Short mmCIF file of all heavy atoms in Angstrom, two decimals:
data_model
loop_
_atom_site.label_atom_id
_atom_site.label_comp_id
_atom_site.label_asym_id
_atom_site.label_seq_id
_atom_site.Cartn_x
_atom_site.Cartn_y
_atom_site.Cartn_z
N ASN A 1 109.64 119.92 161.06
CA ASN A 1 110.91 119.24 161.36
C ASN A 1 111.99 119.45 160.31
O ASN A 1 111.70 119.61 159.12
CB ASN A 1 110.67 117.74 161.52
CG ASN A 1 110.28 117.04 160.24
OD1 ASN A 1 109.11 116.99 159.90
ND2 ASN A 1 111.26 116.49 159.52
N PRO A 2 113.25 119.43 160.76
CA PRO A 2 114.37 119.39 159.80
C PRO A 2 114.35 118.06 159.05
O PRO A 2 113.69 117.10 159.48
CB PRO A 2 115.61 119.50 160.69
CG PRO A 2 115.12 119.89 162.04
CD PRO A 2 113.72 119.41 162.15
N CYS A 3 115.09 117.99 157.97
CA CYS A 3 115.17 116.78 157.16
C CYS A 3 115.49 115.56 158.03
O CYS A 3 116.47 115.56 158.78
CB CYS A 3 116.23 116.95 156.07
SG CYS A 3 116.63 115.44 155.17
N SER A 4 114.66 114.52 157.93
CA SER A 4 114.83 113.34 158.78
C SER A 4 116.17 112.64 158.53
O SER A 4 116.87 112.25 159.48
CB SER A 4 113.68 112.35 158.56
OG SER A 4 113.65 111.92 157.20
N VAL A 5 116.56 112.51 157.28
CA VAL A 5 117.81 111.83 156.95
C VAL A 5 119.01 112.62 157.48
O VAL A 5 119.97 112.05 158.02
CB VAL A 5 117.92 111.62 155.43
CG1 VAL A 5 119.28 111.04 155.05
CG2 VAL A 5 116.80 110.71 154.94
N SER A 6 118.94 113.94 157.35
CA SER A 6 120.02 114.78 157.87
C SER A 6 120.14 114.65 159.38
O SER A 6 121.24 114.71 159.94
CB SER A 6 119.77 116.24 157.49
OG SER A 6 119.87 116.44 156.10
N GLN A 7 119.01 114.48 160.05
CA GLN A 7 119.07 114.32 161.51
C GLN A 7 119.84 113.06 161.90
O GLN A 7 120.65 113.08 162.82
CB GLN A 7 117.66 114.28 162.09
CG GLN A 7 116.91 115.60 162.04
CD GLN A 7 115.61 115.53 162.81
OE1 GLN A 7 115.60 115.33 164.01
NE2 GLN A 7 114.50 115.70 162.09
N TRP A 8 119.58 111.97 161.18
CA TRP A 8 120.30 110.74 161.50
C TRP A 8 121.79 110.87 161.18
O TRP A 8 122.65 110.32 161.89
CB TRP A 8 119.68 109.56 160.75
CG TRP A 8 118.37 109.14 161.38
CD1 TRP A 8 117.11 109.38 160.92
CD2 TRP A 8 118.22 108.44 162.62
NE1 TRP A 8 116.18 108.89 161.80
CE2 TRP A 8 116.83 108.30 162.85
CE3 TRP A 8 119.11 107.93 163.56
CZ2 TRP A 8 116.32 107.67 163.98
CZ3 TRP A 8 118.60 107.29 164.68
CH2 TRP A 8 117.23 107.16 164.89
N ALA A 9 122.11 111.60 160.13
CA ALA A 9 123.52 111.87 159.83
C ALA A 9 124.16 112.67 160.96
O ALA A 9 125.31 112.43 161.34
CB ALA A 9 123.64 112.61 158.50
N ALA A 10 123.42 113.64 161.51
CA ALA A 10 123.94 114.47 162.59
C ALA A 10 124.14 113.66 163.87
O ALA A 10 125.06 113.95 164.66
CB ALA A 10 122.99 115.64 162.85
N VAL A 11 123.29 112.66 164.12
CA VAL A 11 123.51 111.77 165.26
C VAL A 11 124.88 111.13 165.16
O VAL A 11 125.66 111.09 166.13
CB VAL A 11 122.40 110.68 165.33
CG1 VAL A 11 122.76 109.62 166.38
CG2 VAL A 11 121.05 111.30 165.65
N GLU A 12 125.22 110.63 163.97
CA GLU A 12 126.53 110.01 163.78
C GLU A 12 127.65 111.04 163.90
O GLU A 12 128.71 110.76 164.45
CB GLU A 12 126.59 109.32 162.42
CG GLU A 12 127.96 108.75 162.05
CD GLU A 12 128.45 107.68 163.00
OE1 GLU A 12 127.62 107.04 163.68
OE2 GLU A 12 129.69 107.46 163.06
N ALA A 13 127.42 112.26 163.40
CA ALA A 13 128.44 113.31 163.49
C ALA A 13 128.80 113.58 164.95
O ALA A 13 129.99 113.67 165.30
CB ALA A 13 127.94 114.58 162.82
N LEU A 14 127.80 113.68 165.80
CA LEU A 14 128.06 114.01 167.20
C LEU A 14 128.54 112.82 168.01
O LEU A 14 129.38 112.96 168.90
CB LEU A 14 126.79 114.59 167.84
CG LEU A 14 126.31 115.94 167.28
CD1 LEU A 14 125.04 116.39 168.00
CD2 LEU A 14 127.39 117.01 167.41
N ASN A 15 128.00 111.63 167.72
CA ASN A 15 128.35 110.44 168.50
C ASN A 15 129.55 109.67 167.96
O ASN A 15 130.19 108.93 168.69
CB ASN A 15 127.16 109.47 168.56
CG ASN A 15 126.03 109.98 169.45
OD1 ASN A 15 126.22 110.89 170.24
ND2 ASN A 15 124.85 109.38 169.30
N GLY A 16 129.82 109.83 166.66
CA GLY A 16 130.86 109.04 166.02
C GLY A 16 132.25 109.58 166.21
O GLY A 16 132.48 110.50 167.02
N THR A 17 133.19 109.05 165.46
CA THR A 17 134.59 109.46 165.58
C THR A 17 134.76 110.95 165.28
O THR A 17 134.10 111.50 164.40
CB THR A 17 135.49 108.64 164.63
OG1 THR A 17 136.84 109.10 164.77
CG2 THR A 17 135.05 108.79 163.17
N GLN A 18 135.67 111.55 166.02
CA GLN A 18 136.02 112.95 165.80
C GLN A 18 137.46 113.05 165.27
O GLN A 18 138.06 114.13 165.26
CB GLN A 18 135.90 113.75 167.11
CG GLN A 18 134.58 113.55 167.86
CD GLN A 18 133.40 114.19 167.16
OE1 GLN A 18 133.36 115.40 166.97
NE2 GLN A 18 132.42 113.37 166.79
N ASP A 19 138.00 111.95 164.79
CA ASP A 19 139.41 111.88 164.41
C ASP A 19 139.77 112.79 163.24
O ASP A 19 140.94 113.17 163.08
CB ASP A 19 139.80 110.44 164.07
CG ASP A 19 139.85 109.53 165.29
OD1 ASP A 19 139.80 110.07 166.42
OD2 ASP A 19 139.91 108.29 165.12
N PHE A 20 138.81 113.13 162.42
CA PHE A 20 139.10 113.96 161.24
C PHE A 20 139.27 115.43 161.59
O PHE A 20 139.78 116.21 160.78
CB PHE A 20 137.98 113.81 160.21
CG PHE A 20 136.62 114.16 160.75
CD1 PHE A 20 136.16 115.46 160.75
CD2 PHE A 20 135.81 113.17 161.29
CE1 PHE A 20 134.91 115.77 161.27
CE2 PHE A 20 134.57 113.47 161.81
CZ PHE A 20 134.11 114.78 161.80
N LEU A 21 138.86 115.84 162.80
CA LEU A 21 138.91 117.26 163.15
C LEU A 21 140.34 117.78 163.19
O LEU A 21 140.64 118.86 162.67
CB LEU A 21 138.22 117.50 164.50
CG LEU A 21 136.70 117.28 164.54
CD1 LEU A 21 136.18 117.43 165.97
CD2 LEU A 21 135.99 118.24 163.61
N ALA A 22 141.25 117.04 163.81
CA ALA A 22 142.64 117.50 163.95
C ALA A 22 143.34 117.67 162.60
O ALA A 22 143.93 118.73 162.35
CB ALA A 22 143.42 116.56 164.87
N PRO A 23 143.29 116.69 161.70
CA PRO A 23 143.94 116.92 160.40
C PRO A 23 143.27 118.03 159.59
O PRO A 23 143.95 118.76 158.86
CB PRO A 23 143.82 115.56 159.70
CG PRO A 23 142.83 114.77 160.46
CD PRO A 23 142.86 115.28 161.85
N ASN A 24 141.96 118.16 159.68
CA ASN A 24 141.29 119.27 159.00
C ASN A 24 141.79 120.61 159.52
O ASN A 24 142.04 121.56 158.76
CB ASN A 24 139.78 119.18 159.17
CG ASN A 24 139.14 118.11 158.29
OD1 ASN A 24 139.83 117.41 157.56
ND2 ASN A 24 137.83 117.99 158.36
N ASN A 25 141.94 120.68 160.85
CA ASN A 25 142.43 121.93 161.45
C ASN A 25 143.86 122.24 161.03
O ASN A 25 144.23 123.40 160.86
CB ASN A 25 142.31 121.87 162.97
CG ASN A 25 140.89 122.14 163.45
OD1 ASN A 25 139.98 122.32 162.64
ND2 ASN A 25 140.69 122.19 164.76
N GLU A 26 144.68 121.21 160.88
CA GLU A 26 146.04 121.43 160.41
C GLU A 26 146.03 122.07 159.02
O GLU A 26 146.84 122.96 158.73
CB GLU A 26 146.81 120.10 160.39
CG GLU A 26 147.16 119.55 161.76
CD GLU A 26 147.86 118.21 161.68
OE1 GLU A 26 148.24 117.80 160.56
OE2 GLU A 26 148.03 117.56 162.73
N THR A 27 145.12 121.61 158.19
CA THR A 27 144.98 122.19 156.85
C THR A 27 144.54 123.65 156.94
O THR A 27 145.09 124.51 156.24
CB THR A 27 143.96 121.39 156.03
OG1 THR A 27 144.43 120.04 155.88
CG2 THR A 27 143.76 122.00 154.64
N PHE A 28 143.59 123.93 157.81
CA PHE A 28 143.12 125.30 157.97
C PHE A 28 144.22 126.23 158.49
O PHE A 28 144.34 127.37 158.06
CB PHE A 28 141.91 125.36 158.91
CG PHE A 28 140.61 125.02 158.25
CD1 PHE A 28 139.66 124.23 158.89
CD2 PHE A 28 140.29 125.50 156.98
CE1 PHE A 28 138.45 123.93 158.30
CE2 PHE A 28 139.07 125.19 156.37
CZ PHE A 28 138.15 124.41 157.04
N VAL A 29 145.03 125.73 159.41
CA VAL A 29 146.12 126.56 159.95
C VAL A 29 147.12 126.90 158.84
O VAL A 29 147.57 128.04 158.73
CB VAL A 29 146.83 125.83 161.12
CG1 VAL A 29 148.13 126.53 161.47
CG2 VAL A 29 145.92 125.79 162.34
N ARG A 30 147.45 125.91 158.03
CA ARG A 30 148.37 126.17 156.92
C ARG A 30 147.80 127.21 155.96
O ARG A 30 148.50 128.13 155.53
CB ARG A 30 148.64 124.85 156.17
CG ARG A 30 149.69 124.99 155.07
CD ARG A 30 149.93 123.69 154.34
NE ARG A 30 148.79 123.28 153.53
CZ ARG A 30 148.04 122.21 153.80
NH1 ARG A 30 148.30 121.45 154.84
NH2 ARG A 30 147.02 121.89 153.00
N ARG A 31 146.55 127.09 155.65
CA ARG A 31 145.90 128.05 154.75
C ARG A 31 145.82 129.43 155.39
O ARG A 31 146.05 130.45 154.72
CB ARG A 31 144.50 127.56 154.39
CG ARG A 31 144.51 126.28 153.55
CD ARG A 31 143.10 125.73 153.39
NE ARG A 31 143.05 124.58 152.49
CZ ARG A 31 141.94 123.89 152.23
NH1 ARG A 31 140.80 124.24 152.82
NH2 ARG A 31 141.98 122.88 151.40
N ARG A 32 145.46 129.47 156.66
CA ARG A 32 145.40 130.76 157.37
C ARG A 32 146.74 131.47 157.32
O ARG A 32 146.82 132.66 156.99
CB ARG A 32 144.99 130.53 158.83
CG ARG A 32 144.94 131.79 159.68
CD ARG A 32 145.06 131.50 161.16
NE ARG A 32 146.36 130.90 161.51
CZ ARG A 32 146.72 130.58 162.74
NH1 ARG A 32 145.90 130.77 163.75
NH2 ARG A 32 147.92 130.06 162.97
N ASP A 33 147.80 130.74 157.63
CA ASP A 33 149.12 131.35 157.67
C ASP A 33 149.56 131.85 156.30
O ASP A 33 150.21 132.89 156.18
CB ASP A 33 150.14 130.36 158.24
CG ASP A 33 149.90 130.05 159.71
OD1 ASP A 33 149.14 130.80 160.36
OD2 ASP A 33 150.48 129.07 160.21
N LEU A 34 149.19 131.11 155.26
CA LEU A 34 149.49 131.52 153.89
C LEU A 34 148.81 132.86 153.57
O LEU A 34 149.44 133.79 153.07
CB LEU A 34 149.04 130.45 152.90
CG LEU A 34 149.03 130.83 151.41
CD1 LEU A 34 150.45 131.02 150.90
CD2 LEU A 34 148.30 129.78 150.59
#
């Protein structure tokens, strides 16, 4: 099995808020364009 603690963290990653994705992507776009 994969790490048990990491699995529970991944449950939250998939089920929890996704609000951080958009601002992270804005940062990546700025860096890409640079």
Side-chain angles (χ1 to χ4, degrees):
N1 68 273
C3 170
S4 60
V5 174
S6 293
Q7 290 188 63
W8 286 104
V11 171
E12 174 62 23
L14 295 180
N15 288 344
T17 179
Q18 310 290 298
D19 289 349
F20 57 87
L21 293 175
N24 284 2
N25 281 3
E26 289 178 9
T27 299
F28 278 139
V29 168
R30 185 181 69 248
R31 294 172 174 177
R32 178 202 63 178
D33 292 346
L34 169 68

